[in-house]
């Protein structure tokens, strides 16, 4: 959840600065600001998750990679 929120925040800020191409931004709530859905980014995150799942294949391998990345 944190990765999704951070990705959408970074993309939205990058678009406002002109550093990211314009994409369709859907505001999911008329009452709460900041709740957005960007279909293209959502697809990229999904492809990334599928790629990581195929690459590591088991939660044991994924856990080892996470442990190594945090210990260095």
């Amino acid at each position: 959840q944190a990765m999704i929120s951070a990705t959408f925040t970074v993309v939205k800020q990058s678009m406002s600065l002109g550093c990211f191409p314009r994409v369709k931004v859907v505001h999911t709530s008329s009452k709460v600001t900041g709740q957005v859905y960007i279909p293209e980014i959502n697809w990229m995150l999904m492809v990334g998750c599928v790629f990581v799942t195929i690459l590591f294949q088991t939660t044991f391998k994924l856990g080892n990679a996470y442990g190594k990345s945090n210990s260095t």
Side-chain angles (χ1 to χ4, degrees):
Q1 182 63 40
M3 185 176 195
I4 294 169
S5 297
T7 302
F8 287 135
T9 301
V10 167
V11 168
K12 188 174 179 185
Q13 290 176 355
S14 297
M15 283 179 14
S16 67
L17 292 171
C19 301
F20 196 83
R22 295 284 178 201
V23 292
K24 180 182 177 182
V25 177
V26 179
H27 296 274
T28 58
S29 174
S30 60
K31 296 179 182 179
V32 180
T33 24
Q35 289 190 353
V36 296
Y37 169 70
I38 306 171
E40 292 88 354
I41 301 303
N42 210 36
W43 273 97
M44 283 189 234
L45 287 172
M46 188 265 309
V47 168
C49 288
V50 169
F51 175 73
V52 167
T53 303
I54 292 170
L55 181 69
F56 287 105
Q57 297 177 352
T58 66
T59 55
F60 181 76
K61 291 179 184 177
L62 184 60
N64 285 340
Y66 179 75
K68 287 179 185 176
S69 69
N70 281 345
S71 65
T72 57

